[in-house]
Amino acid sequence: GENVEQHPSTLSVQEGDSAVIKCTYSDSASNYFPWYKQELGKGPQLIIDIRSNVGEKKDQRIAVTLNKTAKHFSLHITETQPEDSAVYFCAASRTTDSWGKFQFGAGTQVVVTP
Amino acid sequence: GAVVSQHPSRVICKSGTSVKIECRSLDFQATTMFWYRQFPKKSLMLMATSNEGSKATYEQGVEKDKFLINHASLTLSTLTVTSAHPEDSSFYICSALGLAGGPEQFFGPGTRLTVL
């Protein structure tokens, strides 16, 4: 089955700097890659996603890149703000079967210091 | 749009009792919902897939008689933890797929279960 690895496990950045989180996946048939932000004691919130027919997607300060050949995708947050502090999870899924079950990465704790 | 609610948000119960957690899609219909369990500082672990009108599909190692799932309508799935024990204490989160057929999962706010 699918295996998703996520790095780093923790990331500390100064406010205004950029943050990058990387994930690799094992199943070449995976074709949907969402990123979720989870604040303490809350459920995950979808912040951006990308499908396998696209190499990059951007939404304001957040961008995701996908390299299908290398089977890795990354989340980029620019101009970080204290409210970006949270745990971020990547996931991979096949939309063609298994009801599109997600395989999640282990998560990255991002701390943005003022 | 795409709001998912869970009730209760927090529950404390005695060992041996059963607890029901509700997951509702508020502004869309969801044929498929997922139930996850999350331990502190860990990732989400899929427990089961719940399809409206049919039996849930459980992941390997998850006891179906322990974690009863019912998906009776397009907007409601319930998870009942039967004969709860302290080791069942955890954060339980549901998610829903929209009817439009897209791959996005929309997550509820989670339910913190503490079994004494």
Side-chain angles (χ1 to χ4, degrees):
Chain A
E2 176 66 277
N3 182 46
V4 176
E5 294 192 359
Q6 183 173 345
H7 298 282
S9 57
T10 58
L11 180 59
S12 293
V13 295
Q14 287 279 101
E15 182 178 0
D17 288 349
S18 295
V20 180
I21 304 170
K22 297 182 180 180
C23 287
T24 59
Y25 61 99
S26 60
D27 184 356
S28 55
S30 290
N31 58 356
Y32 176 65
F33 308 92
W35 284 90
Y36 285 86
K37 175 184 180 182
Q38 186 178 27
E39 296 177 349
L40 192 62
K42 297 184 179 180
Q45 280 189 305
L46 178 67
I47 55 171
I48 197 167
D49 57 11
I50 194 167
R51 302 189 190 214
S52 59
N53 58 348
V54 175
E56 184 173 358
K57 185 176 177 182
K58 200 170 181 180
D59 182 3
Q60 299 183 347
R61 296 187 296 109
I62 294 172
V64 55
T65 58
L66 170 66
N67 183 326
K68 279 197 304 182
T69 305
K71 288 191 277 190
H72 68 69
F73 56 111
S74 300
L75 177 71
H76 304 253
I77 307 174
T78 58
E79 299 171 32
T80 53
Q81 300 166 4
E83 50 265 39
D84 294 329
S85 297
V87 179
Y88 291 80
F89 291 99
C90 64
S93 77
R94 291 187 189 186
T95 59
T96 51
D97 62 19
S98 301
W99 301 288
K101 290 193 294 186
F102 287 0
Q103 182 65 46
F104 281 93
T108 297
Q109 174 77 60
V110 173
V111 177
V112 180
T113 51
Chain B
V3 178
V4 176
S5 71
Q6 278 184 244
H7 179 81
S9 58
R10 186 179 293 267
V11 57
I12 301 173
C13 70
K14 291 183 179 179
S15 191
T17 60
S18 294
V19 174
K20 181 185 280 189
I21 302 169
E22 292 185 347
C23 176
R24 292 182 186 271
S25 55
L26 296 185
D27 52 359
F28 67 103
Q29 293 181 316
T31 51
T32 302
M33 290 183 172
F34 300 91
W35 286 96
Y36 294 85
R37 185 172 180 176
Q38 187 177 35
F39 292 103
K41 298 186 187 258
K42 296 293 184 184
S43 190
L44 289 86
M45 182 185 78
L46 180 64
M47 299 174 66
T49 303
S50 165
N51 286 292
E52 186 264 337
S54 61
K55 288 185 179 178
T57 302
Y58 291 81
E59 294 300 300
Q60 195 171 10
V62 178
E63 298 175 58
K64 62 180 180 182
D65 296 329
K66 171 77 172 171
F67 299 100
L68 299 178
I69 291 171
N70 184 277
H71 193 155
S73 79
L74 285 173
T75 58
L76 174 64
S77 176
T78 60
L79 168 68
T80 301
V81 183
T82 62
S83 186
H85 290 283
E87 56 266 30
D88 299 323
S89 299
S90 195
F91 194 52
Y92 292 89
I93 312 174
C94 69
S95 70
L97 283 179
L99 252 190
E104 299 87 353
Q105 286 187 31
F106 301 101
F107 283 81
T111 296
R112 171 73 60 195
L113 170 64
T114 303
V115 185
L116 303 176

